Amino acid sequence: MKDDFSVAEKSTEANARSYSAPALEKGLDILEVLCRSQSPVSLKDLAGQAGRSVGEIYRMVLCLVNRGYVAQVDDSYTITTKLFELSQLNPPTHKLLLEATPIMNKLASELDVSCHLTVYNHGKQVVVAKVDTPSGMGFSLRVGSDLDVLISVSGRVLVAFQDNETRNLRIAESLQRRADQEDPQIAVVLDFIRECGYESSPSSQVRGLYAVSFPILDSQGHANAALTVPYAERIDQAQRKPIAVIHEALAEAAKLLSEKIGCPSR
């Protein structure tokens, strides 16, 4: 009897894993198309980009309009801010952004640099907050930007400060997204970053740019986020803070932010 129950339980779990929800998938397809678009999209174009027919998505679009996720503009449709508003209700992200804002503002103001905060998301990293250079001239990233992981300083920091299982999963996910970024020495690199406590190196993507990144740690010593300063020499500023000062200030800011979100002082 026990064996029969175990077989039935496994069968139920297998069915659950293979179960599909066509209506939900159509709705998500619509939202993803509209989120990627910079302007309103006609119903015909929306259907084409979602790989659906107009008949398949018509009622779903109306439902999303009624629920406030999508707005109708003449004969086209555009995403509203409702998804963004809901995302702000997520407690971990909300706490991180709430505590990060004043720390990042202070860092940028004292050093006259820009800084940004990224989190890992399925093989890529996403910019969730940024502060521009107070003087108005500098390198900065747009909030919401997707960044590569294994070839960027901040991305490697997000992978280095994890347990081995999570580290391996993130490497695999990142390579699935960008197989051309495989590095046979990546394990050695990540171990070195973890030993140092941060990474600081010339950018592999932007010539003349130097990147410094520290992890924002949880109580287990795992990186919830990476706080990064893109640093470039300014030939018109003889008194510009040197990179050593950037390291020191960024380390202090990252430590403070880690403590604010629950990581005990080490």
Side-chain angles (χ1 to χ4, degrees):
M1 191 71 174
K2 182 178 179 181
D3 290 342
D4 290 344
F5 178 78
S6 297
V7 171
E9 187 179 47
K10 290 179 181 178
S11 177
T12 300
E13 291 175 354
N15 289 337
R17 285 194 297 269
S18 63
Y19 182 77
S20 63
L24 177 59
E25 289 178 357
K26 281 190 287 187
L28 293 175
D29 286 343
I30 292 166
L31 292 175
E32 288 175 1
V33 169
L34 292 178
C35 283
R36 288 192 294 264
S37 176
Q38 300 298 312
S39 58
V41 182
S42 69
L43 191 62
K44 180 179 179 181
D45 288 342
L46 180 55
Q49 292 180 49
R52 309 273 183 176
S53 69
V54 171
E56 278 186 283
I57 69 167
Y58 178 69
R59 292 177 63 185
M60 185 66 67
V61 171
L62 291 183
C63 178
L64 290 170
V65 170
N66 290 336
R67 293 292 297 268
Y69 291 92
V70 173
Q72 185 170 359
V73 181
D74 298 325
D75 294 329
S76 298
Y77 299 88
T78 187
I79 199 73
T80 68
T81 60
K82 187 168 184 178
L83 283 174
F84 177 77
E85 292 165 5
L86 290 175
S87 72
Q88 303 310 300
L89 300 178
N90 182 280
T93 304
H94 179 72
K95 175 71 171 175
L96 176 64
L97 296 180
L98 183 68
E99 299 292 355
T101 300
I103 293 173
M104 293 173 68
N105 281 328
K106 183 173 184 288
L107 183 69
S109 176
E110 291 182 349
L111 301 179
D112 192 27
V113 295
S114 67
C115 57
H116 57 267
L117 192 69
T118 57
V119 297
Y120 180 85
N121 182 38
H122 300 294
K124 60 187 177 182
Q125 53 175 328
V126 180
V127 179
V128 294
K130 63 107 174 194
V131 176
D132 290 331
T133 310
S135 64
M137 182 183 294
F139 182 89
S140 67
L141 296 170
R142 177 174 54 83
V143 171
S145 297
D146 292 341
L147 307 177
D148 292 328
V149 174
L150 299 180
I151 63 168
S152 70
V153 168
S154 54
R156 289 191 292 266
V157 163
L158 288 171
V159 177
F161 292 86
Q162 305 296 335
D163 57 67
N164 288 335
E165 182 178 355
T166 302
R167 178 193 284 199
N168 291 335
L169 174 62
R170 293 190 173 186
I171 291 173
E173 288 179 335
S174 300
L175 290 176
Q176 186 175 14
R177 180 172 179 264
R178 290 294 304 273
D180 59 307
Q181 295 178 359
E182 184 172 11
D183 179 1
Q185 297 299 313
I186 189 63
V188 175
V189 172
L190 296 176
D191 286 342
F192 181 73
I193 293 170
R194 189 176 183 103
E195 183 179 345
C196 291
Y198 67 99
E199 186 174 14
S200 175
S201 69
S203 171
S204 62
Q205 298 164 297
V206 181
R207 194 185 306 279
L209 193 68
Y210 205 89
V212 187
S213 186
F214 279 76
I216 307 305
L217 302 172
D218 63 17
S219 59
Q220 304 301 311
H222 300 149
N224 280 340
L227 181 59
T228 306
V229 167
Y231 181 85
E233 296 288 346
R234 287 282 299 276
I235 60 176
D236 62 334
Q237 288 186 355
Q239 301 304 315
R240 184 165 176 76
K241 299 288 193 301
I243 193 68
V245 174
I246 303 294
H247 285 174
E248 183 179 346
L250 188 55
E252 187 61 33
K255 178 183 176 183
L256 178 59
L257 181 52
S258 295
E259 293 172 355
K260 292 282 188 181
I261 65 171
C263 178
S265 180
R266 293 174 183 268

